[in-house]
Amino acid sequence: MGWRRTDPDEALVRVRDLAGRPRGTGFLADGHGTLITSHEAVDGLARVVLHAPGEQTCLVGDDAVIALPEWDLALVRTEGLSAPPLAVSASTAIEPGAGVRLRTRRWLDARVVGGAAVTYTATDRFHLLGAALELTVGDRETVRLGERAAGGPVLDARTGAVVAVLGTALQTGRRAGGFAIPLRATAAADPQGPLAALLARNSATVPAYGPELNLAGALQLTALSLGPADGPRPWGEPAERPDTAEEFTRFLDGDAPVLGLVGDPGTGRTTELAALAARRARGAAPAPTVWLRGADLRAGDTSVRDAVARALT
């Protein structure tokens, strides 16, 4: 299967004040229009002006901002912006030497030096952050305070997934190329907080593939195997079978490894299973389902895992 990786330039949202002065950058992280940016990009603003590609503009008040100054992050509820959301990496650990990309006046290649304890100076107080990433930027460039790069995504150079958010007001007692806030590791520090909830939505709704395969990506891949789940039914909707639905619910809520649905040809087994797969994929807590048939199994398979791997490939 092929897929189109999102062009990061199409996903960047510029953050400005009411006078039009640049304050930073952000990116959407879900289908509800939730923007992730740095706290410094919105710090002290009663209203925030957002500009997305295609001359899209959104004006929000400070009541739409969830400020997380202790991490130099902010979440902004936007309306009407159609910029594509970016997938956030699932990894909580970023190895020193990993290649990343970030945007200042242009896209730059950088490398992760390692973790660093930094200080963020907001308008009201200092915040000590112990989980920042130190970056080394080529050509002896540094990420300077006040650049529009503040709040922009730091991308894994290999997969294109977002690993961190760039901060320009993060400092230590020594010179460094730049610093960024790792998103997954930061969310793990407050698993019930708003950032963790947003990243959970990101994993469930913004597909990522390959090494960054997430729930949304798995749902899309497995949907290709469902076949009859979404096709038109010229004969009308199937009749409800409460007993069958009850057994399905008991199976999904229990710990039994196998459920067998038996019946004569034409009694609706395939229809019931297709409906179950569709409910799992579209429910409040989506779950992937792989649709296999007898013809998908081969004599040399050591387990059903081999057939699943072929279906997803």
Side-chain angles (χ1 to χ4, degrees), residues 48-60:
V48 180
V49 183
L50 305 171
H51 296 277
E55 299 183 355
Q56 302 177 76
T57 301
C58 176
L59 175 65
V60 301

Side-chain angles (χ1 to χ4, degrees), residues 13-234:
V13 177
R14 302 300 181 190
V15 182
R16 298 179 181 269
D17 63 16
L18 283 177
R21 291 182 290 260
R23 291 292 300 257
T25 303
F27 65 95
L28 299 185
D30 63 13
H32 302 300
T34 308
L35 183 89
I36 299 181
T37 186
S38 65
H39 182 265
E40 61 202 73
V42 299
D43 190 19
L45 298 182
R47 291 188 176 183
V48 180
V49 183
L50 305 171
H51 296 277
E55 299 183 355
Q56 302 177 76
T57 301
C58 176
L59 175 65
V60 301
D62 56 6
D63 59 337
V65 177
I66 300 176
L68 304 171
E70 66 275 18
W71 297 330
D72 188 20
L73 291 173
L75 312 180
V76 183
R77 296 187 300 274
T78 73
E79 293 184 2
L81 298 183
S82 61
L86 293 178
V88 176
S89 172
S91 177
T92 58
I94 303 165
E95 297 296 326
V100 295
R101 300 184 69 222
L102 54 95
R103 203 183 200 299
T104 55
R105 295 173 299 277
R106 57 188 175 87
W107 283 102
L108 299 175
D109 294 324
R111 295 216 169 260
V112 175
V113 177
V118 298
T119 300
Y120 166 51
T121 305
T123 55
D124 58 345
R125 53 164 290 190
F126 295 97
H127 298 273
L128 300 177
L129 287 67
L133 293 177
E134 182 179 347
L135 307 176
T136 178
V137 184
D139 300 328
R140 298 183 179 179
E141 293 194 49
T142 58
V143 181
R144 290 183 289 272
L145 178 67
E147 284 189 338
R148 67 180 188 177
V154 177
L155 308 179
D156 185 309
R158 187 170 53 102
T159 67
V162 180
V163 296
V165 167
L166 193 65
T168 65
L170 305 177
Q171 298 178 339
T172 61
R174 55 186 173 77
R175 182 181 177 85
F179 296 100
I181 305 302
L183 289 175
R184 290 290 177 186
T186 301
D190 185 12
Q192 304 302 319
L195 179 60
L198 174 58
L199 296 191
R201 288 200 303 276
N202 182 271
S203 295
T205 59
V206 184
Y209 304 96
E212 296 290 356
L213 182 66
N214 58 11
L215 175 58
L219 288 171
Q220 286 205 355
L221 289 175
T222 55
L224 297 177
S225 73
L226 297 184
D230 295 318
R233 297 188 178 99

Side-chain angles (χ1 to χ4, degrees), residues 242-309:
D243 292 343
T244 302
E246 182 179 347
E247 290 294 336
F248 282 162
T249 300
R250 183 179 296 114
F251 171 67
L252 295 177
D253 293 341
D255 55 6
V258 176
L259 171 69
L261 180 62
V262 298
D264 293 329
T267 55
R269 293 168 300 165
T270 300
T271 300
E272 288 295 325
L273 291 173
L276 172 63
R279 288 196 300 271
R280 281 170 53 83
R282 299 168 185 159
T289 303
V290 179
W291 188 280
L292 297 177
R293 298 165 179 82
D296 295 320
L297 306 177
R298 297 178 183 175
D301 289 347
T302 57
S303 74
V304 73
R305 181 191 301 268
D306 297 328
V308 171

